Structure formats: C-alpha cells, structure tokens
C-alpha cells in the first residue's frame, strides 16, 4: 500500500465470485485501522465480552505461538478503482466491515492495553519491560490482515452476505478442537496426559460422547472436564486463564497423570465396558475428579494426597450399575444408571464418594 497525492493505493488481486467483483489483499493492521468503519445498518452490535476474549487470546499468543485469523470481509461500496499503480480508495472513503468486527476491535483493544502497560513500565523506569512491550506493539501494528473486499455490493446485498456468513458459520467440531487447539492450557495438558497414558488404556481422540459400542475408556473431551473439576472445581465451561494455584506446569502435569493412572488401581479391568460398569461414564469420571478437588479444600491436603485417598473407594464400590452407591441414578427397567452427567448429579455423586472417605477417616482414627 502507498499514498499518491493523499490517495490510498491497495495492492491485490481482483476476481469474480458468484458474479460479484472481489479484491483479495493483505494489509498491515495499523493501516487498516484507519480505513474501515462499521455500519450499524448492516452489522450487529459489538459484544464487549467477545472482544475481550479475543483480545486475551491475542495478548497471550504474542508471548508464545503465532496466531492466525481467517480473512476479514469488507464492502468498498464502489469507492475502489483499478489504476496502473493498484486499487485506489477515493479520498475520504471507508471500507465497511462485514465479517471480522470483533477481531478488528480486539486488535485495537490489545494495542491500547499494551500502550498503557508500556507507559506504566516507563513511569517506573522499567526500561527492559518497556522495550519488550514495544516489540509486542510493533508486532501487532504490522500484523498482516488477509482481506476480501467486495467492490460493488448494494446495501441489501451487504445485509444478505452478513446474514449468510453468520448463518452458515459452524463452530469447529469439538474433536478437532481437542486435537489441534493451542490456545487453551487445559486442552494442551489433556493432550500431553493422553500421550503418556496411551499405553495404559484406550482414549477416544475425536468423539466427545461415547456409547456402549465404543471400546475407549474415556475421551479427550471428558478428560479435559475431569482436569477442570480436579484443579478448579468447575463443572461447567471455563472462561479466561486457568488457576492452578501455586503448582508449577510440571507439577500440574504430574498431578494430571497421577489422577488418570489411579484408574488402573481403582476401576475394574474392563473399565471401558459401559454395559457392565459405570467407570466409562462421563459423570462418574468427572465426579471422581471433583471429589479429589473437594478433599484438597476440606482437609487442606495436596492434590497428590487427595488422589491417593481416592484409592480407598475400591473397598466400598463394585462400580456396577446396580451398586447401592448409585441407587438414586439406577433405572431397574434399563438396568443401568442414567442422567449421570448433569452438574447437580455430579455434585451428588461426589458427595457420596466424600461420605465414604470421611467414614474411612473416622474408622482409622
């Protein structure tokens, strides 16, 4: 991109898509920031929470792996003209964003956040920190934004395209997320643990829900739920950074492996047989992790100590569907327990586990 007599020139490739003229290009974010606008007649209202989530992802990624965004989509509304130098944007004209609003504003928000951090570092004479933050600022300013710019859409066609984009867009399959997402620390840990345990029992890496026909003991998705319950006592969705307390990354991994290795000693050999045992069911596995979490809080013990305490459940539970421990969930008609994975049920199952372990403590004292 360059300026000629205050005219903005954009390099790119023009082509036709479904009968519409489109320009494919790539622009530094610092340049794009001054060129685009949001038309409230076309776009939806900005979701501050969504912007915040993307901003945190951007800031985290700057300190680790590179991050990538799919192409942003804009409408030029006839203000781009092909010239010998490139595509000229008429002075005073803007590009109207159709897809990428939250990513664009998250990039701007991340820049503002970093500039504020840099000022604070400078005020306290932390020169090295200020230089490091400036490097992040420069990196974001030069971030290459891939773009598709529709050259001559009508306002109605813009609205229709916006609707089509948001109607057709589907969330990535949870199996793919668990295999390839590098943004969520819990997913990263889950994959590391699964790699260490793959010789001990079968783990489903693509499906999130396991049926009686599936021979896997658990899945990556269920394992992540277990770890979230184990370290933070959360039985729903986690947003934001993980809270592992004072544990180091190495300790978190060791605790995680220890929890799943416990299953070899605690569960029956055919633990993946869901018709015979409850040990392959999501609600039971997560309840066990939640029990360990509650033990650390109730008795001020470490996670490794809590995991050792769980071994004692073997003395009180057959892990069969009709075990008295699961009587409130057992359906005699189906001859199996059901509705085991709701938050309330997981809490109740964990409470029963805890009661047995409390009884064990009393008998041992």
């Amino acid at each position: 991109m360059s300026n000629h007599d205050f005219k903005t020139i954009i390099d790119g490739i023009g082509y036709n898509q479904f009968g519409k003229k489109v320009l494919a290009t790539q622009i530094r974010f610092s340049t794009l920031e001054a060129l685009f606008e949001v038309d409230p007649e076309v776009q939806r209202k900005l979701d501050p929470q969504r912007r915040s989530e993307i901003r945190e992802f951007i800031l985290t990624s700057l300190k680790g792996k590179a991050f990538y965004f799919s192409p942003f989509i804009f409408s030029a509304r006839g203000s781009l003209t092909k010239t010998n130098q490139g595509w000229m944007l008429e002075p005073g004209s803007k590009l109207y964003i159709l897809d990428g609003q939250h990513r664009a504003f998250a990039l701007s928000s991340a820049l503002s956040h970093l500039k504020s951090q840099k000022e604070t570092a400078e005020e306290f004479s932390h020169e090295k920190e200020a230089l490091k933050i400036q490097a992040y600022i420069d990196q974001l300013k030069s971030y290459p934004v891939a773009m598709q710019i529709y050259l001559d859409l009508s306002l109605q066609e813009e609205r229709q395209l916006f609707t089509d984009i948001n109607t057709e867009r589907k969330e990535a399959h949870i199996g793919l997320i668990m295999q390839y997402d590098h943004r969520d620390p819990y997913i990263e840990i889950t994959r590391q643990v699964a790699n260490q345990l793959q010789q001990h029992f079968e783990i489903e890496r693509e499906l999130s829900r396991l049926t009686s026909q599936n021979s896997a003991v658990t899945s990556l998705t269920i394992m992540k739920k277990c770890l979230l319950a184990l370290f933070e006592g959360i039985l729903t969705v986690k947003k934001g950074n993980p809270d592992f307390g004072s544990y180091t990354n190495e300790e978190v991994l060791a605790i995680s492996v220890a929890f799943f290795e416990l299953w070899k000693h605690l569960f029956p050999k055919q633990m993946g047989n869901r018709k015979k045992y409850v040990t392959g069911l999501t609600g039971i596995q997560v309840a066990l992790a939640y029990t360990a979490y509650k033990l650390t809080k109730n008795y001020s013990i470490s996670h490794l100590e809590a995991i050792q305490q769980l071994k004692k459940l073997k003395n009180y539970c057959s892990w069969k569907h009709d075990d008295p421990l699961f009587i409130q969930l057992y359906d005699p008609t189906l001859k199996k327990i059901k509705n085991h994975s709701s938050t309330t049920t997981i809490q109740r199952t964990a409470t029963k586990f805890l009661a047995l372990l409390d009884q064990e403590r009393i008998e041992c004292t």
Side-chain angles (χ1 to χ4, degrees):
M1 172 175 292
S2 61
N3 288 324
H4 296 272
D5 299 324
F6 304 102
K7 295 177 182 178
T8 303
I9 301 296
I10 301 175
D11 295 321
I13 300 172
Y15 62 97
N16 287 313
Q17 181 168 282
F18 305 117
K20 298 297 179 183
K21 295 179 181 178
V22 183
L23 172 65
T25 186
Q26 184 171 284
I27 297 177
R28 286 165 49 101
F29 178 70
S30 59
T31 304
L32 174 63
E33 199 173 18
L35 294 181
F36 82 88
E37 279 191 6
V38 174
D39 186 343
E41 295 296 319
V42 176
Q43 267 282 4
R44 60 190 168 189
K45 186 178 180 181
L46 182 75
D47 181 352
Q49 181 62 34
R50 179 64 177 150
R51 177 185 61 193
S52 175
E53 290 172 359
I54 300 175
R55 181 193 66 206
E56 293 309 309
F57 158 65
I58 292 169
L59 292 172
T60 301
S61 298
L62 284 173
K63 301 171 185 176
K65 298 176 180 176
F67 65 95
Y68 305 94
F69 286 141
S70 58
F72 292 39
I73 299 177
F74 294 84
S75 176
R77 297 185 175 178
S79 61
L80 275 174
T81 306
K82 181 71 180 294
T83 70
N84 293 331
Q85 292 79 28
W87 296 82
M88 183 185 72
L89 182 65
E90 295 179 5
S93 298
K94 296 286 185 177
L95 301 176
Y96 292 87
I97 193 163
L98 300 180
D99 185 53
Q101 175 186 206
H102 289 89
R103 286 172 285 164
F105 283 111
L107 283 163
S108 294
S109 181
L111 275 170
S112 296
H113 183 79
L114 289 169
K115 288 175 182 176
S116 178
Q117 283 189 330
K118 183 191 174 189
E119 286 182 5
T120 301
E122 290 172 338
E123 288 169 4
F124 285 91
S125 300
H126 297 157
E127 295 181 8
K128 288 185 178 179
E129 181 68 14
L131 287 172
K132 182 171 71 173
I133 296 171
Q134 182 60 51
Y136 294 149
I137 292 172
D138 294 340
Q139 189 175 337
L140 277 191
K141 283 184 175 181
S142 61
Y143 181 80
V145 178
M147 301 166 58
Q148 289 180 323
I149 306 173
Y150 283 83
L151 303 181
D152 53 6
L153 294 182
S154 67
L155 194 60
Q156 181 57 39
E157 287 172 329
E158 287 182 8
R159 291 182 182 134
Q160 185 61 56
L161 179 57
F162 173 79
T163 301
D164 291 345
I165 290 169
N166 288 279
T167 300
E168 294 300 323
R169 176 175 285 138
K170 300 288 190 298
E171 291 295 326
H173 186 277
I174 186 64
L176 289 175
I177 293 174
M178 292 302 302
Q179 290 181 71
Y180 301 112
D181 190 351
H182 295 283
R183 296 172 291 180
D184 186 337
Y186 274 107
I187 292 179
E188 291 269 25
I189 295 168
T190 300
R191 285 197 295 261
Q192 292 178 50
V193 173
N195 289 337
Q196 292 195 33
L197 293 174
Q198 60 186 351
Q199 300 300 323
H200 299 297
F201 48 75
E202 185 180 349
I203 298 170
E204 173 60 58
R205 293 176 180 268
E206 294 183 7
L207 302 177
S208 56
R209 297 184 63 183
L210 303 181
T211 66
S212 57
Q213 285 73 42
N214 194 304
S215 60
V217 174
T218 189
S219 70
L220 292 180
T221 304
I222 298 170
M223 290 174 69
K224 180 193 171 187
K225 291 179 180 178
C226 287
L227 294 180
L228 191 53
L230 178 65
F231 287 104
E232 301 191 48
I234 296 176
L235 302 177
T236 54
V237 177
K238 164 75 176 183
K239 291 188 176 181
N241 295 324
D243 181 6
F244 296 125
S246 59
Y247 291 126
T248 64
N249 292 339
E250 290 76 15
E251 289 171 332
V252 168
L253 181 59
I255 291 167
S256 302
V257 170
F259 172 73
F260 291 107
E261 284 187 332
L262 163 76
W263 295 6
K264 296 184 298 178
H265 309 286
L266 180 61
F267 293 160
K269 289 184 178 179
Q270 296 180 12
M271 66 178 92
N273 186 338
R274 292 172 184 78
K275 292 182 179 179
K276 188 174 182 179
Y277 298 109
V278 303
T279 46
L281 303 180
T282 302
I284 303 304
Q285 295 177 4
V286 177
L288 194 65
Y290 186 64
T291 301
Y293 168 80
K294 296 296 287 185
L295 285 171
T296 67
K297 299 302 179 184
N298 293 350
Y299 299 108
S300 299
I301 59 178
S302 70
H303 277 75
L304 288 176
E305 290 174 297
I307 290 168
Q308 289 300 311
Q309 291 288 317
L310 294 178
K311 286 185 178 181
K312 299 174 182 177
L313 289 173
K314 187 174 184 178
N315 301 324
Y316 300 95
C317 182
S318 67
W319 302 108
K320 293 183 178 180
H321 287 263
D322 59 355
D323 190 283
L325 192 61
F326 312 115
I327 191 66
Q328 78 282 5
L329 302 174
Y330 185 69
D331 185 329
T333 304
L334 299 174
K335 294 186 178 181
K336 65 179 182 179
I337 69 170
K338 62 179 184 178
N339 302 325
H340 53 83
S341 59
S342 71
T343 298
T344 301
T345 302
I346 290 172
Q347 291 172 330
R348 288 175 179 170
T349 303
T351 298
K352 289 203 166 191
F353 287 157
L354 286 166
L356 289 174
L357 295 174
D358 286 341
Q359 179 183 331
E360 171 83 14
R361 278 176 171 266
I362 293 172
E363 291 176 353
C364 292
T365 56

